[in-house]
Amino acid sequence: MGRCRREGEMERIMEEGGIDGRGERREGGEWTIQDPASQRLTWYKPPLSVLVIKKVRDAQVIQPFIQLVRWLTIDKRMVVFVEASVMEDSLVTSHPGFPVLRDKLMNFREAHDDLTDKIDFIICLGGDGTLLYASSLFQQSVPPVMAFHLGSLGFLTPFKFDNFQDQVTNVLEGHAALTLRSRLRCIIIRKDQETGKNGRPPTNLLVLNEVVIDRGPSPYLSNIDLYLDGKRITSVQGDGLIVSTPTGSTAYAVAAGASMIHPSVPAIMLTPICPHSLSFRPIVVPAGVELKIAVSKDSRNTAWVSFDGRKRQELFHGDSLRVTTSIYPVPSICAEDQIADWFASLDECLRWNDRKRQKHFDEPEDLSPTDLTPDLTHSSSSDTLDSLAERNEACDN
C-alpha cells in the first residue's frame, strides 16, 4: 500500500529536518520560524487504497458518491473501503449505478473492524461531521483526509466536487499542501481505577474539535475543579467547560465567546459555558500541558462529558478526566494552502468581518453645488438598512 509522510513519524522527521516542537527550523545555527505553507503531502509509494465516507441521510450525496466510487475503482483501479451501513442503505442500493460496483467495494463496521495500515488516504463527502467521524475511526495515526463540501457546514471541507477527478489526481500525485490538525487525548479515570480496585482499562479517546464537560440534566450549576500540570488553577462554576483544539476553536468554543485560532497554532483552549462570574474569560494554554478535570467535592451534582459530540457519559465524584495534546494529528489536505483555506472558511461560513464600509470624505473641488445641499427627505440610516437587507438576501440565495 502507499505510504505518506504523516504523524506516526513526525518526531523522527522533525529531528532529522531540524524542526523543534514549536514548529521552528534550525538553519545555520539559528532558529527560524517555519512557514506553515511548507508542509506538503509526500507519498513514499503510490496510494492503492482509499476510505470513502459520505454524509448519512442525505439523498443529494448519493450521485456524487456513486460517481466518485466508480471513478476510483474502474478508472484508478484503487481498493475502495466504505461503511457496511452504506452497502445496506436503500438510497444507495436503489441507484442504477450501484449494482456494478457492489462486488468491487470493501466494507467495514465501526468498533468491529480495525482499519490500521489498511487505508492510504480518506475522502469525505458531506459536511464537517464526516471529517470528525473519520478522525474517530483512527485512534492512532490517521491517513491524509481530503474533504469535499457537500453538507450544510463546510469549515473543514475546502474542496468543491465539480472537478473532483482533477483534484483527486493532484492529491494522488502528491501536489497538495497539508494542515496538521492537532487532536486531544482524553482519558477518563474512575474513582475505583484511581485506587486500583478496578482492573478495567480507563476510557481513552481522541477528539478533533473538543471535549465538553457540562451539568447535564441537573438544574444546579456545575462545579468543576481544573488542574494544569498537577496544580489547581480554578473551579469552574457555571453550565460547564469546553476544552478545544485550535480546529475546534471555530465550533462550539467560538459560540461560547472564545477567539478563533489557526489550526497550526500549538495550543489548547479553555472556554467556560455561561460562567457564574463575568470575569471568567476564555484562555489559551500551551499544547504541551496536561489538564485534569474533576467534579468538586462540594458540588451538588455530577457532571457529563462528551467527545466531539459523541460517547456522552457521566462523571461522578472521585472520577477525573485527563486531557493532553495527542501525538497523532489529522493530516487535512488543503485545496490551496493552510492560510488561504482557513480565511476562505472564515469568510464563507462565518462571514468574518463582513460589514458595510464607512464612506470616504469627498474632496470639496469634486462636489457640485447640488451635492453640497443636504437632502432632508432621505434618511441615510434607512438606506443603510435597506442595502444590508438586500445584500443578506442575495447571500442567502
Side-chain angles (χ1 to χ4, degrees):
M1 288 188 179
R3 286 292 178 269
C4 77
R5 179 174 292 178
R6 59 180 186 256
E7 202 288 332
E9 302 174 338
M10 280 303 296
E11 292 183 359
R12 179 181 62 79
I13 293 168
M14 290 166 65
E15 182 178 349
E16 292 177 357
I19 303 174
D20 77 346
R22 298 166 295 182
E24 300 177 357
R25 182 184 297 273
R26 187 161 190 155
E27 295 179 353
E30 296 183 359
W31 291 104
T32 59
I33 302 298
Q34 183 194 15
D35 178 10
S38 67
Q39 294 177 354
R40 307 290 300 181
L41 176 64
T42 303
W43 298 105
Y44 289 137
K45 296 180 181 179
L48 301 177
S49 61
V50 55
L51 169 62
V52 178
I53 295 179
K54 75 169 190 68
K55 184 180 180 182
V56 298
R57 296 190 295 273
D58 190 342
Q60 295 183 349
V61 179
I62 303 302
Q63 180 61 31
F65 171 76
I66 296 294
Q67 284 182 264
L68 174 67
V69 169
R70 181 191 300 119
W71 182 75
L72 289 171
T73 55
I74 297 176
D75 293 17
K76 290 298 182 179
R77 299 184 179 278
M78 299 190 71
V79 178
V80 177
F81 285 78
V82 299
E83 295 175 85
S85 59
V86 171
M87 307 288 284
E88 302 161 0
D89 186 348
S90 60
L91 291 175
V92 175
T93 55
S94 62
H95 191 281
F98 182 72
V100 296
L101 300 174
R102 180 188 293 274
D103 295 335
K104 301 179 184 295
L105 301 179
M106 303 289 289
N107 65 79
F108 74 96
R109 293 187 184 276
E110 183 185 9
H112 290 281
D113 298 313
D114 185 8
L115 295 176
T116 305
D117 294 330
K118 294 181 181 178
I119 307 298
D120 291 331
F121 82 112
I122 304 169
I123 296 179
C124 294
L125 302 177
D128 293 350
T130 57
L131 193 142
L132 293 174
Y133 176 65
S135 168
S136 71
L137 294 175
F138 296 86
Q139 292 296 298
Q140 293 187 21
S141 183
V142 186
V145 183
M146 184 179 190
F148 286 92
H149 178 42
L150 291 170
S152 52
L153 294 176
F155 206 94
L156 306 178
T157 54
F159 288 93
K160 308 299 181 185
F161 193 76
D162 298 339
N163 59 335
F164 75 90
Q165 297 95 332
D166 293 338
Q167 297 181 91
V168 175
T169 299
N170 283 336
V171 170
L172 295 176
E173 294 175 351
H175 305 312
L178 281 177
T179 297
L180 294 179
R181 299 183 179 274
S182 64
R183 294 193 290 177
L184 298 177
R185 171 73 66 185
C186 304
I187 302 175
I188 293 180
I189 300 178
R190 299 296 179 181
K191 181 179 180 179
D192 52 359
Q193 292 171 331
E194 192 87 60
T195 58
K197 295 179 180 179
N198 189 332
R200 289 181 296 126
T203 301
N204 191 331
L205 295 169
L206 290 182
V207 299
L208 177 58
N209 264 357
E210 74 274 306
V211 53
V212 177
I213 305 94
D214 60 66
R215 60 189 175 95
S218 172
Y220 301 113
L221 292 171
S222 66
N223 217 315
I224 303 166
D225 290 334
L226 175 62
Y227 298 81
L228 193 152
D229 284 340
K231 181 179 179 180
R232 185 178 178 279
I233 301 301
T234 190
S235 179
V236 181
Q237 187 168 275
D239 280 356
L241 178 70
I242 304 168
V243 183
S244 61
T245 64
T247 294
S249 70
T250 51
Y252 192 1
V254 76
S259 296
M260 295 181 290
I261 301 180
H262 189 277
S264 294
V265 177
I268 299 176
M269 295 196 66
L270 301 172
T271 307
I273 306 172
C274 299
H276 198 240
S277 169
L278 294 177
S279 63
F280 193 173
R281 309 308 303 157
I283 61 172
V284 178
V285 297
V289 303
E290 180 186 57
L291 300 172
K292 175 185 172 183
I293 299 159
V295 178
S296 300
K297 293 181 179 179
D298 57 353
S299 176
R300 295 184 179 183
N301 56 306
T302 60
W304 288 77
V305 58
S306 59
F307 308 90
D308 276 345
R310 307 177 74 206
K311 301 186 185 299
R312 186 169 172 82
Q313 49 194 288
E314 193 169 5
L315 279 182
F316 300 94
H317 291 80
D319 298 342
S320 65
L321 171 67
R322 312 292 174 93
V323 181
T324 56
T325 299
S326 170
I327 62 170
Y328 300 108
V330 173
S332 178
I333 299 173
C334 303
E336 188 172 347
D337 59 56
Q338 286 189 5
I339 305 301
D341 282 14
W342 193 65
F343 279 99
S345 295
L346 290 182
D347 181 50
E348 181 178 347
C349 300
L350 300 181
R351 296 183 180 176
W352 179 65
N353 201 23
D354 187 10
R355 71 203 188 283
K356 183 175 177 63
R357 293 184 63 86
Q358 185 182 43
K359 285 185 61 179
H360 64 81
F361 286 122
D362 292 322
E363 297 296 332
E365 58 270 17
D366 296 334
L367 298 175
S368 64
T370 56
D371 292 330
L372 297 175
T373 304
D375 185 356
L376 301 181
T377 63
H378 279 80
S379 168
S380 59
S381 61
S382 298
D383 293 340
T384 301
L385 291 173
D386 291 342
S387 63
L388 284 175
E390 292 174 0
R391 182 174 182 182
N392 288 335
E393 184 177 354
C395 290
D396 292 338
N397 294 333

